[in-house]
Structure formats: C-alpha cells, structure tokens
C-alpha cells in the first residue's frame, strides 16, 4: 500500500505528540514533518508536497486559514482545534474534516477513512485525465469551437468563470480553474499561480522577476508570473 505523506502544523508540542500517537494506529499514514507555526508550515509544505495536512486553527500571529490562503497547492486538510465555532468557516476552505480536541480514537479513525476515500476518488479522476490529442467542445455565447487540448496555451480565472486561450481565440467557460486542472495532463500543464494554468509547450522565454518569481512569455505577447512558491516546482518539472 502506498503511504499517505502527512504533515502536522500545530503550535502545541503536546497536541502534536497526541496526534502522532493516534496516527500510529494507521500505518498507511507517514508523518514526514511537523511545524509549530504558519510560516514554518508553509515552508515545510512547499518543500515536501504532502498528501495530507493536519492543521490547527488558533496559532500565534497567523491562523490555519491564513496558511491555506498562502498555498498554491493545498493538501487534503483535516482541521484539529479545541474550538467548534470555526466549523462552518473550515468547510468554506474545502477542509475534508474538522476534529475537536481532545480527539478520540473512533473520531480520528472516521477522519482517516474520509482521507482514504478522497484519495481513491482522486486517483480515479486522474485515470480519466484528458490527453493532448483529445478534443473538447467550447461554447461562449453564440460561438462554438472544437479544440484540441494541445492547442490551448493558457487558462485564466475570470471571476467565477475561466478564460481559455487557444490559437487566435479566447473564450469564457463556466468552470472553475480547479475543476479544469483536475482533468488536464500534468506533464504539459502547470499551475503558475493561483489564477493561471499554462501549457509549458508554449512558453517561449523565461525571465527572473521580482521577489523570486519567474516571468513566462506565451503567444500573443502574454506574460504570466510564476509565483515564488511554484518557481522551484516549475524548475523541477522541466529539468533533465
């Protein structure tokens, strides 16, 4: 069985140790790191790319919600907190579960079962990913196109919609960027930042930019910033 890589972000050492004791009952979960505040947690997650995050909400200086807002790629998240008033807000951040401290064995096992189910569903979605030569139907108002995935060079957030850039055209579709990302072939499409996905085959030039960002040049003189958090992933993706 493939291990589920997990990190813990929790300011209390006692709470971190209690979580690790609970996790010992679930050998499929492998703790690959822990952090005592949001900034350390942010660095840890970017460096290790875990599958699962156990996240406290109330922490000094920045809370758990701030951490999720900082991340471009958010792992499956299970909140662990002593306060029940954040439950509704936690699900607005797409948390998979919300565990109240002290966490008992049965309730923790239920959360792990949700994690396993979620990972299975994600794997099934990955099997249904589009290939480069697949065609998709795009409609924007009265205009319609049948477009090969390989002809699309940029997806960009536009309010609650997404703009699609291909050949000499662009269209707006009623899908979120996250929904689109789930179906794209990962080898060719890269989440440059929170609002844009690029087809790496169309990147003609890369420049270093401010604050550790990169600037990618696409067709039609379109420039896309690759965030500092994603820059190292981008380099890894395209390195030999």
């Amino acid at each position: 069985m493939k291990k589920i890589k997990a990190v813990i972000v929790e300011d209390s050492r006692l709470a971190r140790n209690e979580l690790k004791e609970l996790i010992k009952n679930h050998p499929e979960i492998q703790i690959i790191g822990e952090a005592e505040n949001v900034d350390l947690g942010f660095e840890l997650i970017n460096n290790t790319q875990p599958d699962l995050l156990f996240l406290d909400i109330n922490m000094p200086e920045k809370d758990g919600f701030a951490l999720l807002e900082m991340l471009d790629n958010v792992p499956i998240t299970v909140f662990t907190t002593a306060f029940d008033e954040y439950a509704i807000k936690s699900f607005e951040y797409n948390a998979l579960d919300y565990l109240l401290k002290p966490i008992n064995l049965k309730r923790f096992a239920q959360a792990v079962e949700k994690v396993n189910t979620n990972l299975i569903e994600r794997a099934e979605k990955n099997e249904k990913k589009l290939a480069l030569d697949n065609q998709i139907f795009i409609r924007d108002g009265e205009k319609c196109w049948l477009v090969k995935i390989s002809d699309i060079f940029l997806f960009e957030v536009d309010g609650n919609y997404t703009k699609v850039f291909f050949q000499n055209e662009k269209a707006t579709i009623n899908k979120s960027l996250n929904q689109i990302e789930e179906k794209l072939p990962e080898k060719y499409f890269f989440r440059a930042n929170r609002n844009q996905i690029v087809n790496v085959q169309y990147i003609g030039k890369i420049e270093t930019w401010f604050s550790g960002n990169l600037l990618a040049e696409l067709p039609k003189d379109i420039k896309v910033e690759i965030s500092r958090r994603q820059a190292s992933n981008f380099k890894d993706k395209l390195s030999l």
Side-chain angles (χ1 to χ4, degrees), residues 32-58:
I32 59 173
E34 55 186 273
E36 61 187 24
N37 60 50
V38 165
D39 289 332
L40 291 175
F42 172 72
E43 184 178 350
L44 173 64
I45 291 167
N46 280 330
N47 288 338
T48 61
Q49 297 295 308
D51 306 304
L52 174 62
L53 167 62
F54 292 103
L55 178 61
D56 189 18
I57 294 177
N58 283 315

Side-chain angles (χ1 to χ4, degrees), residues 2-214:
K2 182 182 177 183
K3 292 283 188 179
I4 300 169
K5 297 187 299 180
V7 300
I8 299 170
V9 180
E10 159 72 67
D11 65 311
S12 164
R13 179 179 293 178
L14 176 62
R16 294 198 302 272
N17 289 338
E18 288 175 346
L19 261 177
K20 286 186 283 187
E21 285 300 313
L22 289 166
I23 289 167
K24 285 180 180 178
N25 296 297
H26 301 275
E28 71 271 32
I29 299 177
Q30 177 188 6
I31 297 296
I32 59 173
E34 55 186 273
E36 61 187 24
N37 60 50
V38 165
D39 289 332
L40 291 175
F42 172 72
E43 184 178 350
L44 173 64
I45 291 167
N46 280 330
N47 288 338
T48 61
Q49 297 295 308
D51 306 304
L52 174 62
L53 167 62
F54 292 103
L55 178 61
D56 189 18
I57 294 177
N58 283 315
M59 289 182 284
E61 297 182 9
K62 299 174 186 175
D63 64 18
F65 298 121
L67 174 58
L68 297 186
E69 289 175 358
M70 292 164 65
L71 294 167
D72 285 321
N73 294 311
V74 180
I76 296 171
T77 302
V78 174
F79 278 114
T80 59
T81 179
F83 304 93
D84 60 4
E85 62 262 32
Y86 297 110
I88 293 175
K89 186 176 180 180
S90 74
F91 292 109
E92 292 174 358
Y93 282 77
N94 295 318
L96 185 68
D97 210 341
Y98 185 94
L99 300 177
L100 279 175
K101 302 172 186 174
I103 305 166
N104 64 51
L105 283 168
K106 182 179 179 181
R107 183 65 186 87
F108 188 79
Q110 290 171 344
V112 172
E113 182 61 31
K114 286 185 181 181
V115 171
N116 286 321
T117 300
N118 187 274
L119 286 170
I120 290 169
E121 290 172 352
R122 290 188 180 200
E124 290 173 348
K125 284 181 181 178
N126 285 338
E127 290 177 0
K128 297 175 183 176
K129 280 185 181 291
L130 295 164
L132 271 185
D133 59 354
N134 286 152
Q135 289 183 310
I136 58 171
F137 178 77
I138 296 176
R139 179 171 183 172
D140 186 354
E142 297 301 314
K143 291 185 176 182
C144 299
W145 298 268
L146 198 58
V147 183
K148 272 190 175 183
I149 296 297
S150 59
D151 290 335
I152 298 171
F153 59 87
L154 176 66
F155 293 93
E156 182 175 75
V157 169
D158 183 16
N160 294 323
Y161 302 91
T162 299
K163 282 184 181 176
V164 185
F165 295 76
F166 54 97
Q167 298 173 339
N168 294 316
E169 306 284 351
K170 65 179 176 180
T172 302
I173 59 176
N174 187 19
K175 292 276 187 183
S176 74
L177 200 62
N178 287 339
Q179 288 174 312
I180 292 168
E181 185 177 23
E182 288 178 352
K183 294 203 167 191
L184 294 173
E186 293 178 4
K187 183 177 179 180
Y188 301 100
F189 286 87
F190 181 76
R191 186 73 171 255
N193 54 62
R194 191 172 293 182
N195 295 318
Q196 294 171 307
I197 296 173
V198 298
N199 185 337
V200 297
Q201 296 182 109
Y202 287 88
I203 296 176
K205 185 179 178 183
I206 294 284
E207 299 176 18
T208 55
W209 205 237
F210 301 106
S211 304
N213 293 0
L214 299 174

